[in-house]
Amino acid sequence: MTFPKIRGSGIRSMRPMSWLVSGVLVAAVAFAPAAVSGQAAKAQKAAPKADVALVAGATYIGEETCLGCHENKKGSGGLHTKAADAHTPAGGKGCESCHGPGSKHADDPEKVKPMQFNKVSASEASAACTSCHTSGEHAFWANSKHDARSVSCSSCHSIHSPKGANQLKEASQTKLCASCHQQIVNKITRFNHMPVREDKLACSSCHNIHGSPNVKMLRAGTNVDESCVSCHQEKRGPYLWEHAPVANSCVTCHDPHGSSNDRMLVAKAPYICQRCHVTSRHPPTIYDAFVQKTSTNANKITGRSCMNCHQQIHGSNSPNGKALLR
Ligand code: HEC
Ligand code: HEC
Ligand code: HEC
Ligand code: HEC
Ligand code: HEC
Ligand code: HEC
Ligand code: HEC
Ligand code: HEC
Ligand code: HEC
Ligand code: HEC
């Protein structure tokens, strides 16, 4: 019922007579690729349980037949092999839920191949999975940053030889992310970091890796602040006296992945403050630090620095809290 696609190996296996017929089909595919993928996508939406039909004219032969030749693919483990659940591949079409109907392949394994995940495009590979995984966590997969950049389900998951939970290709989530986002993952080893290393949080606590309607694939909130205060509720406000940058974005001052400064600040105090407050009355400038010992400003750069006095840095609810002192 899905649009039949002609694979290279399929063409090679055809007898000359069928070239004429298929030539027309090939031309149609070649000249209207956009329309074809559009149709395929629509078919997918309308019938989420659509068959993965890749080899034209092939029919389903059942898992037992596949295993007759591919014994080593048996029992790949995980929820997919739970035959009692009719929604799983094992409870349904078996191998062919993902690889497509295999009769022609079984007839001539050398020439006709069913779906080969390492040979098709990322979107074709993912389509084999999104024929079932369309809702919940996966509802926003289509056109998510990962999908858009040709990262497919099987870039992160391995069905036959997973190394970690959730059929991940790597032993842990952070190891997996590090294979592409090394710089971000490095940050969690910094002196101050989100407790990802300690297993209190995972990358997926804040991000929905499978796509989200929010910025940076964040799970909560349409902006960064809303994401932060979904856990740090006490920073939500509203405050009688707001501190402008806090209401604007937490990441102006904090690095959400980790930093070498206290409280994951993007710069040390007082510099973090002086990025903006260089012209105000009393804060010492960077240069005043040289005269720290004699300067009456010394108290502004020792200890918790500016926060010695400006304790309510995120905002104050005290009637006298204009200067964020209490
Ligand atoms: C008659 C034996 C036989 C049967 C039945 C069979 N296969 Fe195969 N299959 C092979 C052989 C042999 C190859 C390797 C062909 C080659 O290397 O050119 C192969 C290759 C494949 C490949 C490609 C492997 C790669 O390296 O990319 C996939 C995927 C596959 N089979 C899946 C299936 C599925 C799914 C079924 C059941 C629908 C099935 N096979 C049934 C013999 C069989
Ligand atoms: C025929 C439908 C179907 C297809 C096709 C399918 N899945 Fe699943 N998958 C399921 C069901 C059902 C579950 C169990 C989910 C549950 O109980 O919430 C599952 C579970 C999973 C899990 C969790 C596994 C575990 O053991 O914890 C992962 C990861 C997953 N699928 C990835 C994929 C990927 C990647 C593909 C494509 C290569 C894919 N699935 C194709 C139906 C399918
Ligand atoms: C849930 C989807 C799914 C099911 C069910 C499934 N496969 Fe696969 N298969 C894949 C994906 C994805 C790959 C790419 C490699 C990987 O993820 O491990 C693959 C790779 C393969 C390969 C290529 C060789 C390799 O190791 O990469 C063969 C052969 C194969 N599968 C055969 C089978 C057979 C036989 C069955 C049934 C017993 C089966 N598959 C069931 C998704 C599936
Ligand atoms: C960038 C890596 C990555 C990609 C791409 C990816 N996943 Fe995942 N997936 C993960 C990680 C990490 C987890 C475990 C953490 C979590 O639950 O979010 C997971 C969990 C899952 C689970 C089990 C938990 C759940 O959501 O129910 C399923 C099923 C799943 N993925 C299916 C898919 C499918 C289908 C695709 C493609 C449409 C896909 N994944 C693409 C990394 C990825
Ligand atoms: C505490 C929540 C949180 C955790 C945990 C977290 N992130 Fe993020 N991540 C964010 C926020 C917020 C942003 C947006 C930052 C911005 O806009 O400057 C972001 C941005 C990103 C970006 C995009 C960077 C860019 O420059 O656009 C990537 C990639 C990323 N995170 C990967 C990861 C990985 C990998 C992990 C796990 C090691 C992880 N994140 C853990 C909150 C988090
Ligand atoms: C196979 C490579 C690959 C893997 C593995 C991978 N990503 Fe990505 N990720 C990408 C690419 C490519 C982008 C797009 C970057 C861009 O557009 O600048 C991206 C973007 C992101 C973004 C930014 C989204 C945005 O809106 O800007 C986040 C957040 C993210 N990934 C989180 C993760 C997490 C968490 C993991 C681990 C579970 C992970 N990624 C694993 C390749 C990968
Ligand atoms: C999923 C929940 C969650 C989200 C979302 C979250 N955090 Fe956290 N945050 C935590 C946890 C848990 C800790 C560790 C608390 C502890 O160890 O007592 C923490 C600690 C912190 C710390 C203190 C670090 C230290 O040195 O004590 C800062 C600062 C922080 N988060 C800022 C942010 C910012 C900014 C955001 C948004 C980008 C954010 N958090 C989003 C859960 C979250
Ligand atoms: C103007 C810079 C700035 C902005 C913007 C900012 N913070 Fe902070 N944050 C700080 C400083 C400075 C500290 C250290 C306070 C101290 O040492 O007393 C801190 C400490 C924290 C802490 C740990 C200590 C505590 O008070 O619990 C958390 C959690 C935190 N911030 C969350 C957030 C969240 C969530 C946002 C966004 C709503 C945010 N911050 C925006 C400067 C900022
Ligand atoms: C991104 C720029 C930025 C950063 C960084 C920043 N502030 Fe502010 N701050 C502002 C703005 C804008 C206002 C509002 C000024 C106004 O209303 O005139 C403000 C207001 C204040 C006020 C109240 C001023 C008044 O007139 O009532 C204090 C006190 C203050 N900031 C202290 C700090 C401290 C301490 C830090 C370092 C932790 C800091 N700020 C970091 C931009 C910043
Ligand atoms: C010893 C206590 C103390 C320290 C340390 C301190 N402040 Fe203040 N700050 C005050 C007091 C008190 C006021 C209120 C003055 C007023 O209400 O007239 C104030 C007012 C401010 C204001 C608003 C008025 C103005 O001057 O524009 C800003 C901005 C400010 N401080 C920034 C900082 C920064 C940045 C630092 C760190 C470099 C810092 N303060 C360190 C006590 C302190």
Side-chain angles (χ1 to χ4, degrees), residues 11 13 28 37 42 47 51 65 85 98 113 118 146 148 160 179 188 193 200 208 219 226 249 251-252 264 291 296 300:
I11 290 174
S13 71
S37 57
K42 261 185 216 150
D51 300 338
T65 317
D85 182 349
C98 297
K113 296 286 191 310
N118 56 356
H146 282 145
H160 298 293
S179 63
I188 66 167
H193 53 268
K200 283 201 221 159
N208 185 342
R219 272 190 191 281
E226 282 176 20
S249 182
V251 291
T252 307
M264 309 200 306
V291 290
T296 50
K300 299 185 183 62

Side-chain angles (χ1 to χ4, degrees), residues 63 66-67 70 73 80 89 94-95 98-99 117 154 157-161:
E63 184 151 316
C66 309
L67 287 171
H70 295 284
K73 296 291 169 212
H80 281 162
C95 322
C98 297
H99 289 283
F117 283 86
S154 41
H157 296 283
S158 169
I159 299 303
H160 298 293
S161 40

Side-chain angles (χ1 to χ4, degrees), residues 61-62 65-66 69-70 95-96 99-102 105-106 109-110 113-116 118-119:
I61 55 171
T65 317
C66 309
C69 298
H70 295 284
C95 322
E96 295 165 297
H99 289 283
H105 165 63
E110 297 290 321
K113 296 286 191 310
M115 167 78 134
Q116 283 170 290
N118 56 356
K119 299 246 169 89

Side-chain angles (χ1 to χ4, degrees), residues 71-84:
E71 204 194 352
N72 62 342
K73 296 291 169 212
K74 196 178 174 180
S76 42
L79 296 174
H80 281 162
T81 53
K82 257 184 139 185

Side-chain angles (χ1 to χ4, degrees), residues 2 34-35 43 45 60 78 95-96 124 134 139 159 166 182 203 206 215 226 235 260 281 296-297 303 317 322:
T2 9
K45 260 196 184 156
Y60 292 100
C95 322
E96 295 165 297
E124 277 180 293
T134 44
I159 299 303
N166 286 306
Q182 185 70 57
C203 311
C206 297
V215 291
E226 282 176 20
K235 304 280 186 291
S260 300
R281 269 182 296 130
T296 50
N297 277 329
N317 280 322
K322 183 173 185 297

Side-chain angles (χ1 to χ4, degrees), residues 228 232 235 243 245-246 249-250 253-254 263 265 304 307 314:
C228 305
H232 298 284
K235 304 280 186 291
H243 190 196
V246 176
S249 182
C250 311
C253 298
H254 297 285
R263 307 295 192 191
L265 291 168
R304 285 166 67 207
M307 276 67 72
H314 300 98

Side-chain angles (χ1 to χ4, degrees), residues 161-177:
S161 40
K163 290 198 191 137
N166 286 306
Q167 310 238 160
L168 293 184
K169 273 191 161 173
E170 296 289 348
S172 72
Q173 190 183 123
T174 33
K175 243 185 152 181
L176 172 70
C177 309

